[in-house]
Amino acid sequence: MPVPVANGDHDLMVASEHSADMARRLPDAKLVVYPNSGHGGVFQHHEKFVPEVLAFPGRLTRAQVASCG
């Protein structure tokens, strides 16, 4: 199953190197490291992150997400 891995390049909680290592270990992972951002990189760069996730292969549909809640 494809897995998106996203991180900020200055994340103090999860170092970017760890995200890169995880992406290398997962067969269908795609790593995105957002510049000039910390642990909230996906929020700081939401204008890039949201379309990336919505276009990601294997993502959940809205109905599947709603059924989880």
Side-chain angles (χ1 to χ4, degrees), residues 1-2 8 10-12 22 27-29 31-32 36-37 41-42 44 46 53-54 56-58 60-61 63 66:
M1 176 178 211
H10 289 88
D11 190 334
L12 298 178
M22 180 171 64
D28 286 329
L31 174 66
V32 178
N36 303 313
S37 58
V42 298
Q44 292 169 280
H46 64 276
V53 169
L54 292 176
F56 198 81
L60 295 174
T61 65

Side-chain angles (χ1 to χ4, degrees), residues 44-59:
Q44 292 169 280
H45 294 276
H46 64 276
E47 70 284 348
K48 295 176 186 172
F49 176 73
V50 171
E52 183 82 25
V53 169
L54 292 176
F56 198 81
R59 67 182 170 83

Side-chain angles (χ1 to χ4, degrees), residues 1-5 19-31:
M1 176 178 211
V3 177
V5 179
S19 293
D21 182 50
M22 180 171 64
R24 276 193 301 274
R25 294 171 188 252
L26 297 170
D28 286 329
K30 179 179 180 188
L31 174 66

